[in-house]
Amino acid sequence: MLEQPHFGRRLKRLRLERGMSQAGLVGEGLSTGYLSRLESGERPPTERAVAYLAQRLGVDASALTGPSDGRSLTAVLAAVTSAPPGTDDTRP
């Protein structure tokens, strides 16, 4: 199952890295409204939408659906605040 909001965040990041607008990414295959709801995490993506968007972005579908690196801001902040003074536990 593709989880939101992680999917939407990745999708938006990849789109912006490529300098694409929402309209430019969806082309004639999807609506910009649907893309907006995907990026905001309001809608879960279908397998067809993932395949289409990955193709349009020039990436493998796993770039959108693969596991996150587990380094959420909350996790990084927790590591920093609980680490002994003088240590750096925030590197991947």
Side-chain angles (χ1 to χ4, degrees):
M1 177 85 179
L2 303 172
E3 294 190 27
Q4 284 289 29
H6 303 292
F7 173 84
R9 289 180 189 145
R10 283 186 185 178
L11 175 60
K12 185 174 184 176
R13 179 178 47 82
L14 287 168
R15 177 178 62 79
L16 293 175
E17 285 174 357
R18 283 153 180 75
M20 299 176 81
S21 67
Q22 287 184 335
L25 176 57
V26 298
E28 298 194 18
L30 298 173
S31 73
T32 55
Y34 178 63
L35 178 61
S36 178
R37 289 189 293 278
L38 288 175
E39 288 186 348
S40 70
E42 292 178 34
R43 294 281 309 260
T46 64
E47 295 290 329
R48 182 178 155 266
V50 171
Y52 178 79
L53 292 167
Q55 182 270 327
R56 298 280 296 174
L57 289 165
V59 299
D60 188 82
S62 65
L64 293 169
T65 62
S68 67
D69 64 2
R71 305 289 294 178
S72 69
L73 178 58
T74 303
V76 171
L77 289 174
V80 169
T81 58
S82 64
T87 62
D88 181 9
D89 192 26
T90 60
R91 286 178 274 149

